[in-house]
Amino acid sequence: MPGVVLPGFVDCHVHLGLQAGGEARKVRSALDSLEQMGLKAVRDAGDRNGIALREAAYLEEPLPLFLPAGRALRLSGDYGDFLGPAVRSLEEGTALIDQLADAGAKAIKLILTGLLDFHRGGRVSGPYMDAEGLRKWTRAAHARGLKVMAHANTDGAVREAVAGGVDSIEHGYFMTEETLRLLAGEGTAWIPTLSPLWHLTQQETHGKVQKHIE
């Protein structure tokens, strides 16, 4: 019979360790649910205690293919403590990359900026690092065969991330069309995560915030 063959669907940005409330059994249950939904691969962006990464060692292949990052790397800043404590230096971060690789991480997550603050007119804190520092970490990750996913919002921060050699931009809000073309030219993937942002806006009740969203 004639038909159309589609590639398997991939969820490119989840935090199963956070969604499970730190319970390993719930991570496994969530993966089972995703498989039943037809997902063929899941890309986990980490949690503070690396629960999803630890659970990956107990999973049976082949489906869904699970790509955990472990705990996130951040040098400083006011965002991201729930994804991983800040390291004190670039060298400490490089050492952590090796530790995560040894533990079975399939990607490295870097935190470059904060989230959108609707109560301050959509402002974003950061960037917390420049391209030079990012490049040291991306080279360390690439040397271990790992892709680098960068949490980055604002046009300037995204440009720093691209210049730093990251493989994907997570979120990437407030990018200009010129920067989007830069991503395309460099072969840098963009994971926009629009669905969770929409859900966050629906939970807002502050009048000024609602006006900004509209």
Side-chain angles (χ1 to χ4, degrees), residues 55-76:
E55 284 307 297
Y58 301 102
L59 298 177
E60 296 182 2
E61 299 286 357
L63 297 175
L65 180 63
F66 190 47
L67 307 171
R71 51 173 281 201
L73 272 74
R74 62 189 186 95
L75 189 58
S76 63

Side-chain angles (χ1 to χ4, degrees), residues 44-150:
D44 189 276
D47 60 87
R48 180 183 176 86
N49 297 312
I51 294 171
L53 175 58
R54 290 201 303 272
E55 284 307 297
Y58 301 102
L59 298 177
E60 296 182 2
E61 299 286 357
L63 297 175
L65 180 63
F66 190 47
L67 307 171
R71 51 173 281 201
L73 272 74
R74 62 189 186 95
L75 189 58
S76 63
D78 58 6
Y79 172 80
D81 183 68
F82 65 100
L83 295 176
V87 297
R88 292 167 293 185
S89 65
L90 291 173
E91 290 72 24
E92 186 177 329
T94 300
L96 178 56
I97 290 171
D98 282 331
Q99 292 173 21
L100 291 168
D102 291 341
K106 303 302 181 185
I108 296 296
K109 169 73 175 291
L110 308 182
I111 298 179
L112 186 56
T113 71
L115 287 175
L116 281 76
D117 187 339
F118 292 116
H119 293 275
R120 294 193 301 157
R123 295 180 184 176
V124 179
S125 62
Y128 309 138
M129 299 177 65
D130 59 18
E132 183 178 357
L134 288 167
R135 197 173 298 112
K136 292 181 179 180
W137 281 356
T138 55
R139 286 174 176 170
H142 291 163
R144 297 299 302 266
L146 302 178
K147 299 290 187 181
V148 177
M149 49 200 303

Side-chain angles (χ1 to χ4, degrees), residues 9-14 16 30-31 34-35 39-44 64-68:
F9 289 106
V10 178
D11 194 329
C12 293
H13 190 113
V14 301
L16 294 186
L31 284 168
L34 292 172
E35 180 180 5
L39 288 173
K40 303 306 180 186
V42 179
R43 189 167 168 261
D44 189 276
L65 180 63
F66 190 47
L67 307 171

Side-chain angles (χ1 to χ4, degrees), residues 155 159 172 175-185 188 190:
D155 194 67
R159 285 181 168 270
M175 275 194 288
T176 63
E177 183 174 340
E178 181 181 0
T179 298
L180 282 170
R181 295 186 184 193
L182 174 65
L183 264 66
T188 307
W190 178 31

Side-chain angles (χ1 to χ4, degrees), residues 22-41:
E23 295 185 40
R25 63 180 179 83
K26 290 185 178 180
V27 171
R28 292 191 291 270
S29 177
L31 284 168
D32 289 340
S33 298
L34 292 172
E35 180 180 5
Q36 293 170 12
M37 294 176 189
L39 288 173
K40 303 306 180 186

